[in-house]
Amino acid sequence: MMIAGRLLAFLLLNLLFLPIGWGQQGKPVKTTITKVDGGFTIMRNGQPYFIRGAGGTSNMEQLKAYGGNSIRTWSPYQADEILNKAQQLGLTVTLGLDVKTERHGFDYNDPVAVAEQKEYLRTVILKYKDHPALLAWGIGNELNLHYSNPKVWDAVNGIAKMIHELDPNHLVTTMLAGINQKEIDYIKSKCPALDLLAVQVYGGLASVPEQLQKTGWNKPYIVTEWGPTGHWEGLQTPWGASIEETSHEKAAVYKSRYEASIGQDKNCLGSYVFLWGQKQERTPTWYGLFTEAGEENEVVDVMHYLWSGKWPDNRAPQLDSFLLDNRQAKDFIYLESGKTYPVKVFVQDPDGDKLRIRWELLQESTDLKEGGDREERPQALAGFIKNSADDKGTLTAPSKEGAYRLFVYASDGNNNVATANIPFYVRSTLNKTSGRAYHFSPVPIWSDEFNYSGLPDKSKWSYDIGSLYDGWGNNELQYYMEASRSNSLVQDGVLKITAKKENRGGKSYTSARLTSKNKGDFTYGRFEARAKLPRGRGTWPAIWLLPTNWKYGDWPNSGEIDILEHVGYDQDVVHISTHTQAYNHGINTQKTSKKKVSGVSDRFHNYRIDWTPAYIKGFVDEQEIFHVDNENKSFKEWPFDQNFHWLINLAVGGNWGGKEGIDDTIFPATFEIDYVRVYNLLE
């Protein structure tokens, strides 16, 4: 009751900030969905209506002038002002309802809290349901992001039913992060009161029609967020900085992805481009189509064309490339503190306008959130950049070691701008290996996508069998089976390694351990796996690498690289480690890192290491959590200059996995692997 009471107080406080006394102009405009020409269309006031919209409430005059017709909000905050202004401009509004998320601590198992939230939303619906600018209601935003409780969809349906009872004139939807089968199935079975689906997709926008068809969704939908390649989707530097597209690259992908999906799918009723404004999210320029000063980048030109069929009279500058030390962002740039490096931008204006170039240096943002949560903008660092000409200058690397990002803005004097940035890393001292810019092949040189059925591919995998070396050196309690469909099976596009409670070889459990030895052996590279982990005390899944020829002798002399380990008694905490003669868990000196990752047993996550001659770095869902450098001493510290191979296994018990006992009620327990991939280290 304490939690519910605090929630009620919070919701009542929110109501204080809902403006009162607004004068509605006119009557509600009836909005429905009609099946037509093998697809669907919105009928608004009896006329077909296709959403040409944007997320955000600033620059509404420009949106109208450029051919847009709708805006989308994330909450009812300042809804009076927004709806009235939209009505004056002839725009509509999909009004967001700020439904609480599990990732922010809301408990959908708490019926009192759920009921209080619904009652708060009832007041919002009654307040705005008759406004003539209202088009649709959006229940929450990305409620499926990092969630585990499907009761959220019962709450969504309850809210949708209530809306229809109170407001028969407008559409109701909920906004999903991405497209996957589980959520689509939940929406179909648990949310019949929704009128349509809303999805939010970035790099994968072009494939949305195909993805929805594969999930069995053949009903109407809208795309309520779409934009550049997301910071989680593209290339990352070895220190974990995402590489952002230039404004010119963004313009190209916005146009091509829109035309391939939203512009042609008859089930799509329109979209809201993101973001019609500006915000800090990883960088100040990543998602906003405007700068903080209100300048418009080239994507605004693209939206003008997509909405109106014509380009603006004066177009934004087009930035071709941006170089630091004669290198691009994808070259993974390391600089030495205090040294000076050249910078140059290649940019042109299609109208021949004279361009003004400005530079900005920021430390890499550390206030990293998810789901669009508010992030603080890093402060600009002054005095490090000097212009030598309009399009070039010099950068003096800061003395403080760490991650930075250099921005360039090219303005045409007509409120248009081109933008780009380069992340770089400053080292206070550079040796001949640590300062190198390492990168990897864009496609795997070896992989198993598990897109077949039956036993694992014998051309890639063999088996460790039995229970050697006193439970594989760790007092593990399982017997590893060879080519047993009940323990290692490829099915439904994933490898399933299952541990069972059954006697074999003097052990009380069976499981499987796959190895690519002599079938997939590599020195250096990017090693990546996507996996969903078993749940339960006593499980110990792992994805790791061992030396193929044991160049420096038995363990730990020749090394070990652990890409992923998890023990069931410490749910959702994942580990990445390396072991050598000098640094290993036997003497408690191992190099290791861990991270709490919500839902590792509920959905797939990505686990990866980048192994180079200079370092090994480990990542979970593209975020770096582990780093060990080559100290350039001896094999005792760095035996990682020889072939290693994959191992994938699910152990039971053992010195670590069984530290708090084994819960026999969890068996059978299954470890699922979607793929494993190796990318070559490029010289």
Side-chain angles (χ1 to χ4, degrees):
M1 291 299 293
M2 289 295 291
I3 294 176
R6 287 195 298 268
L7 175 67
L8 178 59
F10 175 76
L11 296 177
L12 290 174
L13 183 62
N14 272 357
L15 288 175
L16 294 177
F17 291 96
L18 291 176
I20 59 176
W22 58 275
Q24 295 184 6
Q25 305 171 18
K27 297 180 179 179
V29 179
K30 181 74 173 178
T31 305
T32 60
I33 295 175
T34 301
K35 195 172 179 68
V36 61
D37 295 332
F40 299 89
T41 189
I42 293 173
M43 300 297 293
R44 187 169 189 267
N45 203 22
Q47 299 297 316
Y49 187 88
F50 187 79
I51 298 172
R52 302 187 302 273
T57 58
S58 60
N59 308 299
M60 290 167 62
E61 292 85 357
Q62 288 100 313
L63 184 140
K64 174 65 176 180
Y66 302 160
N69 62 8
S70 191
I71 61 169
R72 176 251 170 135
T73 76
W74 284 259
S75 81
Y77 179 67
Q78 295 184 330
D80 298 85
E81 178 184 340
I82 293 165
L83 286 162
N84 287 338
K85 185 171 183 179
Q87 174 68 7
Q88 293 167 6
L89 292 170
L91 303 174
T92 65
V93 180
T94 290
L95 192 63
L97 299 174
D98 45 348
V99 174
K100 306 305 175 187
T101 61
E102 185 178 331
R103 65 190 177 87
H104 287 152
F106 192 86
D107 183 5
Y108 280 93
N109 285 323
D110 183 343
V112 176
V114 170
E116 288 179 346
Q117 175 174 252
K118 185 176 176 183
E119 286 309 301
Y120 154 68
L121 294 174
R122 180 187 298 273
T123 65
V124 177
I125 305 306
L126 290 172
K127 187 174 181 62
Y128 299 114
K129 68 183 181 68
D130 294 327
H131 200 290
L134 185 63
L135 177 71
W137 301 98
I139 301 176
N141 185 65
E142 299 188 346
L143 296 171
N144 62 319
L145 185 64
H146 301 321
Y147 87 114
S148 59
N149 191 348
K151 288 184 180 179
V152 65
W153 306 121
D154 299 323
V156 166
N157 195 60
I159 295 166
K161 287 178 64 177
M162 176 186 70
I163 293 173
H164 283 305
E165 291 167 1
L166 300 174
D167 176 11
N169 295 309
H170 299 107
L171 304 175
V172 185
T173 187
T174 189
M175 288 68 173
L176 294 182
I179 299 169
N180 63 71
Q181 190 69 57
K182 182 179 74 170
E183 271 69 61
I184 299 298
D185 289 344
Y186 276 137
I187 295 296
K188 289 166 69 175
S189 64
K190 288 178 170 286
C191 300
L194 294 177
D195 296 303
L196 72 164
L197 188 67
V199 297
Q200 308 196 150
V201 183
Y202 287 82
L205 179 66
S207 63
V208 162
E210 180 184 1
Q211 290 181 45
L212 286 173
Q213 282 186 347
K214 285 183 177 179
T215 66
W217 186 267
N218 53 12
K219 299 177 181 179
Y221 72 93
I222 55 177
V223 183
T224 43
E225 277 186 29
W226 64 277
T229 304
H231 58 260
W232 64 94
E233 296 175 302
L235 188 63
Q236 285 199 331
T237 68
W239 58 92
S242 299
I243 294 178
E244 181 180 345
E245 296 157 326
T246 68
S247 55
H248 188 54
E249 291 170 330
K250 290 175 187 176
V253 299
Y254 272 73
K255 184 174 183 293
S256 63
R257 291 169 184 167
Y258 182 99
E259 291 175 336
S261 55
I262 296 164
Q264 68 173 6
D265 188 359
K266 292 184 177 181
N267 287 351
C268 183
L269 306 183
S271 72
Y272 293 91
V273 66
F274 188 83
L275 169 73
W276 198 258
Q278 188 277 336
K279 68 178 297 194
Q280 167 72 32
E281 190 167 355
R282 283 317 191 267
T283 78
T285 58
W286 200 300
Y287 296 98
L289 307 192
F290 297 76
T291 65
E292 291 152 303
E295 296 168 299
E296 304 171 7
N297 72 31
E298 194 179 346
V299 178
V300 176
D301 292 356
V302 167
M303 297 315 303
H304 189 292
Y305 171 79
L306 293 173
W307 288 337
S308 70
K310 60 182 181 180
W311 294 98
D313 293 335
N314 187 275
R315 297 179 62 177
Q318 299 171 353
L319 193 153
D320 180 67
S321 61
F322 181 27
L323 301 180
L324 168 58
D325 192 29
N326 298 312
R327 291 178 283 170
Q328 301 180 70
K330 65 181 180 181
D331 293 322
F332 303 158
I333 299 172
Y334 289 86
L335 303 181
E336 187 170 356
S337 61
K339 287 195 173 183
T340 298
Y341 300 89
V343 296
K344 184 172 177 60
V345 61
F346 297 85
V347 59
Q348 62 177 351
D349 189 88
D351 307 296
D353 295 328
K354 181 175 175 57
L355 297 178
R356 180 175 65 89
I357 308 297
R358 65 187 189 275
W359 317 88
E360 184 177 45
L361 179 64
L362 304 179
Q363 285 189 304
E364 188 68 40
S365 176
T366 56
D367 185 28
L368 306 181
K369 304 289 178 56
E370 294 180 289
D373 294 348
R374 184 180 181 277
E375 298 178 8
E376 291 290 339
R377 188 193 199 277
Q379 293 294 316
L381 303 175
F384 293 94
I385 309 159
K386 292 183 179 179
N387 283 351
S388 57
D390 288 343
D391 58 354
K392 58 187 176 182
T394 59
L395 168 73
T396 300
S399 59
K400 182 181 178 182
E401 184 168 330
Y404 297 83
R405 199 176 284 255
L406 178 63
F407 291 77
V408 63
Y409 301 82
S411 302
D412 70 351
N414 292 298
N415 205 46
N416 298 314
V417 68
T419 66
N421 63 73
I422 296 179
F424 63 93
Y425 195 93
V426 172
R427 291 188 183 276
S428 56
T429 57
L430 288 174
N431 60 45
K432 63 181 180 180
T433 57
S434 65
R436 282 194 52 184
Y438 289 104
H439 54 289
F440 302 87
S441 60
V443 296
I445 59 168
W446 188 94
S447 69
D448 198 336
E449 304 295 323
F450 301 116
N451 53 4
Y452 52 91
S453 297
L455 290 170
D457 185 347
K458 63 182 181 181
S459 71
K460 297 178 179 178
W461 302 105
S462 301
Y463 302 86
D464 284 335
I465 305 165
S467 181
L468 306 180
Y469 319 121
D470 297 322
W472 300 98
N474 299 304
N475 294 309
E476 299 164 22
L477 301 180
Q478 78 289 332
Y479 184 96
Y480 284 135
M481 303 291 289
E482 180 182 15
S484 166
R485 285 175 174 260
S486 65
N487 297 107
S488 55
L489 179 67
V490 179
Q491 185 180 55
D492 301 325
V494 297
L495 167 65
K496 299 179 180 181
I497 296 181
T498 301
K500 294 189 169 185
K501 181 74 172 69
E502 58 185 5
N503 296 323
R504 184 65 181 258
K507 299 293 181 179
S508 299
Y509 308 89
T510 62
S511 187
R513 180 158 119 170
L514 274 62
T515 170
S516 71
K517 185 176 182 178
N518 298 319
K519 298 180 178 181
D521 309 272
F522 313 93
T523 302
Y524 310 129
R526 172 170 287 170
F527 296 75
E528 182 180 45
R530 185 169 183 264
K532 183 165 68 173
L533 312 186
R535 184 189 302 274
R537 182 164 42 86
T539 59
W540 183 2
I543 300 175
W544 48 309
L545 305 176
L546 279 179
T548 299
N549 297 312
W550 299 91
K551 178 179 178 181
Y552 301 109
D554 292 340
W555 192 94
N557 293 11
S558 291
E560 173 184 327
I561 304 172
D562 300 319
I563 301 171
L564 158 72
E565 288 186 280
H566 178 267
V567 288
Y569 69 80
D570 196 11
Q571 181 63 37
D572 289 342
V573 177
V574 296
H575 302 254
I576 300 177
S577 311
T578 57
H579 300 278
T580 69
Q581 182 177 329
Y583 306 115
N584 68 81
H585 72 265
I587 55 176
N588 203 31
T589 59
Q590 75 272 22
K591 302 290 187 179
T592 187
S593 294
K594 65 182 180 180
K595 180 178 176 62
K596 180 87 171 181
V597 181
S598 176
V600 297
S601 300
D602 301 311
R603 53 191 171 272
F604 287 90
H605 292 267
N606 284 72
Y607 306 94
R608 162 184 133 217
I609 60 107
D610 289 353
W611 170 23
T612 77
Y615 57 76
I616 295 172
K617 295 187 177 185
F619 302 79
V620 179
D621 291 335
E622 308 306 318
Q623 290 191 358
E624 181 181 333
I625 71 164
F626 174 82
H627 182 122
V628 60
D629 281 321
N630 183 354
E631 299 174 19
N632 295 305
K633 293 180 180 178
S634 71
F635 78 87
K636 296 178 182 179
E637 297 79 22
W638 188 266
F640 306 114
D641 59 355
Q642 57 180 311
N643 271 355
F644 277 64
H645 59 270
W646 290 93
L647 294 97
I648 307 174
N649 66 282
L650 174 53
V652 179
N655 298 337
W656 188 20
K659 186 177 179 180
E660 296 190 8
I662 300 172
D663 178 5
D664 281 343
T665 66
I666 65 172
F667 296 100
T670 301
F671 181 20
E672 298 184 52
I673 301 91
D674 186 28
Y675 60 74
V676 293
R677 298 170 180 167
V678 180
Y679 299 83
N680 196 29
L681 177 68
L682 301 179
E683 294 298 331

